[in-house]
Amino acid sequence: MTDAQARVEALLPSVPTWLVPATGPESRFRNRAKMVVAGTTDAPTLGILDDAGRGVDLVRCGLYPASVTDALEPLRAFVTRAALVPYDVPARRGELKHVHVTTNDAGELMVRFVLRSTESLPRIRKHLPHLLEAVPSIRVVSANLLPQHAALLEGDVEVPLTPAERLPVRQGAVTLLARPQGFLQTDTDVAGQLYTQVAAWVAGLEDDDEVLRGGGALRLWDLYCGAGGFALHVAAGPRPEREVVGVETSEQAVAAARDAARAAGLVGARFVHADATAWAREQPDDAAPDAVVVNPPRRGLGERLCGWLDAAPPRTRHLLYSSCNPASLARDLEALPGWEPVRGRLFAMFPQTTHVEVLVQLRRR
């Protein structure tokens, strides 16, 4: 048993059965690099900041595939060519805060420049053709505006700089359409295994559940659906009569999920831009699902959504909980006394760290 598996099992003693952990490569696995820009216009660094706020260069970091690392030197040169002034965190001056690079399995790229203001936009637009010539794998470019001095990776405003605004990223059996402000699991290989596992467990529910086995059409909600990974995999299953609804607060993510469903011809998948907790609590009992998939942020589901799940209508008999924080998952399971864990599986989504993704299947007691 790995140390990570032992820690998770100790945190979740109510889970009776654990499948073999899902793993992937331990290097070159991250599909997204979020680089802090520091230094000077003539000598910029792309990486992280040290304790004094100085840049530490990571352009050859082994976490990223070659499609990303090969683009970082041209991006560094672009900072100089376009006269972009790196943001100096201690001094609180400068313009360019971060460069984000996302890749897919084909090596195509989405690039974002996170800026303090629009001051640099004319120069970025002017020199962008040179960058696209230097890195022909770039498909999507945008600028994000983050005016405040804060420990954030992006702001609310996104300015498209290329006609294409979506990067197709295949994870598992479905091609997701990543947008600049949308959520995307960073380990494509392990994410595919996670989505495939949920789809397999849902198919098993249809075989084992007396109501669904009798010919009832599965109705499933995917709360905190992001770009739709779980919902799209379930909708793409062998039973086209399934009714799948994904709910997400990010407009960019919902738009990407809708586009992906349309491109794949998944007419049974619907996506809603809303707060997951508020939306679930507002639905009438006769619209309740047979199964719910939840993939909340690190803080977990919270008291109100746990309360709704524990008192959900009788039709709702199955719950699949995917978590990037086993500690908050453990708290939520304690807040769900009406649900019984069936089995779990660890997904090594974040190699070389202590973080893991955990999937637990539950049924109503």
Side-chain angles (χ1 to χ4, degrees):
M1 182 187 301
T2 65
D3 290 344
Q5 183 74 34
R7 289 196 304 272
V8 168
E9 291 191 22
L11 275 170
L12 304 170
S14 62
V15 179
T17 302
W18 289 92
L19 277 64
V20 174
T23 62
E26 296 203 356
S27 63
R28 311 295 179 189
F29 65 88
R30 285 189 65 93
N31 58 31
R32 178 173 292 181
K34 297 181 177 180
M35 297 297 200
V36 178
V37 184
T40 65
T41 299
D42 291 331
T45 61
L46 304 179
I48 59 175
L49 299 179
D50 65 15
D51 292 341
R54 296 183 296 266
V56 177
D57 208 65
L58 294 176
V59 295
R60 288 296 164 190
C61 178
L63 295 179
Y64 307 112
S67 56
V68 171
T69 55
D70 288 350
L72 291 177
E73 283 294 355
L75 282 165
R76 190 209 305 271
F78 181 77
V79 172
T80 302
R81 183 183 184 92
L84 306 179
V85 181
Y87 187 70
D88 185 326
V89 171
R92 300 193 177 194
R93 63 171 179 260
E95 285 295 322
L96 179 59
K97 295 185 173 184
H98 306 102
V99 171
H100 299 176
V101 184
T102 302
T103 189
N104 60 18
D105 284 349
E108 298 173 321
L109 303 176
M110 175 167 61
V111 175
R112 304 172 73 200
F113 298 98
V114 181
L115 307 168
R116 189 172 70 163
S117 74
T118 59
E119 185 271 336
S120 302
L121 276 177
R123 298 193 303 282
I124 291 176
R125 286 193 172 102
K126 176 183 177 181
H127 295 284
L128 186 57
H130 184 272
L131 176 63
L132 298 179
E133 182 179 353
V135 190
S137 56
I138 295 176
R139 296 289 177 266
V140 181
V141 182
S142 67
N144 179 271
L145 302 183
L146 178 61
Q148 61 266 49
H149 178 82
L152 299 172
L153 290 172
E154 61 182 28
D156 295 330
V157 177
E158 198 80 23
V159 181
L161 298 174
T162 52
E165 298 181 34
R166 306 169 304 178
L167 182 72
V169 179
R170 189 167 184 84
Q171 295 192 331
V174 170
T175 297
L176 305 178
L177 296 176
R179 288 182 176 233
Q181 290 181 299
F183 172 78
L184 182 72
Q185 293 282 10
T186 58
D187 188 324
T188 294
D189 184 290
V190 178
Q193 296 181 65
L194 174 64
Y195 295 143
T196 300
Q197 183 66 80
V198 166
W201 282 359
V202 168
L205 299 180
E206 292 172 313
D207 293 334
D208 298 338
D209 186 287
E210 183 177 349
V211 175
L212 297 172
R213 191 173 63 245
L218 173 80
R219 184 184 295 166
L220 179 139
W221 292 354
D222 179 4
L223 305 181
Y224 305 98
C225 71
F230 293 117
L232 293 168
H233 274 79
V234 172
R239 302 188 184 185
E241 68 273 15
R242 290 172 175 172
E243 301 174 26
V244 181
V245 181
V247 184
E248 170 61 45
T249 57
S250 166
E251 287 187 78
Q252 287 266 346
V254 169
R258 288 172 177 166
D259 289 345
R262 188 179 304 112
L266 301 177
V267 296
R270 180 167 64 92
F271 295 92
V272 179
H273 173 226
D275 174 80
T277 299
W279 184 88
R281 293 171 64 92
E282 290 167 359
Q283 303 311 301
D285 286 356
D286 60 5
D290 302 288
V292 179
V293 177
V294 293
N295 184 27
R298 289 188 60 79
R299 65 177 181 273
L301 296 177
E303 181 180 350
R304 294 180 69 238
L305 187 50
C306 283
W308 179 85
L309 285 166
D310 215 47
R315 174 169 180 159
T316 305
R317 302 176 300 281
H318 307 285
L319 175 63
L320 301 176
Y321 192 141
S322 181
S323 171
C324 62
N325 184 357
S328 62
L329 170 58
R331 291 195 300 270
D332 284 344
L333 294 188
E334 290 182 0
L336 295 168
W339 291 87
E340 176 186 19
V342 176
R343 53 187 168 179
R345 191 177 187 189
L346 181 150
F347 293 79
M349 192 78 74
F350 316 101
Q352 304 186 43
T353 76
T354 59
H355 300 290
V356 294
E357 187 85 13
V358 180
L359 177 66
V360 175
Q361 178 186 352
L362 302 101
R363 63 187 169 209
R364 292 292 282 269
R365 295 185 188 275

